[in-house]
Amino acid sequence: MMKRWISLLLCLLLAGMLVACSGRGTTTEEEGNGVKIIVADKVTDSIGINSWIGKRQEAFDEAFPEISVEHVAKTATDDFNQIKDIKNILATNSADTPTILNINSSDFARQLYVEGYTGDFSSYLDGFEFYEEVNEKVRSGYTVGSAVVGLPQTIETPMLGFNTDVLTEKAEALTSAGYMTDKDISTLRIDTWDDYRAVAKILTDAPGVYGAGFTAQDYYQGFGVWAIANGFDGVVQNDDGTISINFAENESMKGVLEFFNGLITDGSTSMDVFNLQKETYYSWIWSGKIASFTFYPSWATWFNSSGMAKEKILVRNFPKGPDNTNFENSYSAVFAMGFVLNKQATPEQVEAVVKYINFMYGKEAWESRIQYAYDEMILQVVYPPFDTIDTSNVEIDFPAGNGWAEAINH
């Protein structure tokens, strides 16, 4: 009798285990109905807006429990290495391979697409509700034919920064030369790169002040900025979407070098850019030893936190091109950071990705982010890609001169 009870008990235990195993199998299957995406955008900088980003991510997790988001570190930010690093990442097929990657140039997005590394968002744009309100120039930069090769996240545009103390000291000379009115530094006029060179020469007081400040990296590697923004046309967008930089034969590229060399030879700067450390370069900007420099709006908080108040900087848009070129339709560079899609992503992952980007970087998200920055007195360091968002709340903290919106549409 006892043996029968023991046998029955064992059967019940086995049955219970089978049910439990069956239950675990059902749970696993239900979990499998969700989708996981890996986003290469992990924020490592200690900036105040990170608090908003964290809360926004929590809100996304609550709104879309079926989507699991893992964040990994961003790829290299150096323009000339990033494209190689991204290709290596995208060519890897492992559990840690990002589904989407944050990059800092639409040129890279087009090149990655035509070379077969990234995918097309165009069939999934219903999930990105305000795509048509993205700045037209930015939107076109992330397309190849009918393919949408990336979704813009933020915008950056280079500008010229001038130390206001040096401008004030040289105001009389600048007025006499016609680049300023009545010694009022707010009227500083920089219409062409010849103007910039002439103003830099007036501001140069060697060895005390260098009128034009730039580094060896600007000289050798800044062609993406100088060639596109300044109308030298040295960076060529090919019909197939790839980009080319012809250093040897492109007359426009030779013009870039001639321009930089001319700054040195005609006394527009007396700085030895080839032996200058970056730390020294930035400290000289703060101290006024460098009178002008390439200013990026995203530097604004960094300058403030480093002790250089916005009143010490006057900004101007890049000129549209030197007078000695025939490139009549030159334009300022607009660097549109955005997300590109791993070609290996499944349709379910792509849908999840678009939902994620729309929630974290869509119009409503940007309006919330800007209001948060305003309320918490955090200077907004990046510009939204949407033309229909009012950014005036935070632009009041921008250095005097041209605003971001004007630079972007310049």
Side-chain angles (χ1 to χ4, degrees), residues 146-162:
S146 60
V148 177
V149 299
L151 292 181
Q153 175 201 4
T154 58
I155 300 175
E156 179 76 292
T157 182
M159 308 170 83
L160 291 173
F162 292 87

Side-chain angles (χ1 to χ4, degrees), residues 170-233:
K170 298 289 186 176
E172 185 171 348
L174 290 169
T175 299
S176 298
Y179 295 107
M180 194 177 286
T181 303
D182 296 331
K183 294 186 286 187
D184 179 2
I185 65 171
S186 68
T187 65
L188 180 67
R189 177 181 62 80
I190 305 289
D191 295 327
T192 69
W193 283 104
D194 284 345
D195 291 341
Y196 174 74
R197 180 181 293 183
V199 167
K201 188 170 184 179
I202 293 172
L203 297 178
T204 296
D205 186 11
V209 175
Y210 304 123
F214 58 97
T215 65
Q217 182 177 359
D218 291 323
Y219 184 92
Y220 286 120
Q221 299 183 352
F223 296 113
V225 174
W226 291 90
I228 298 175
N230 310 343
F232 285 108
D233 195 29

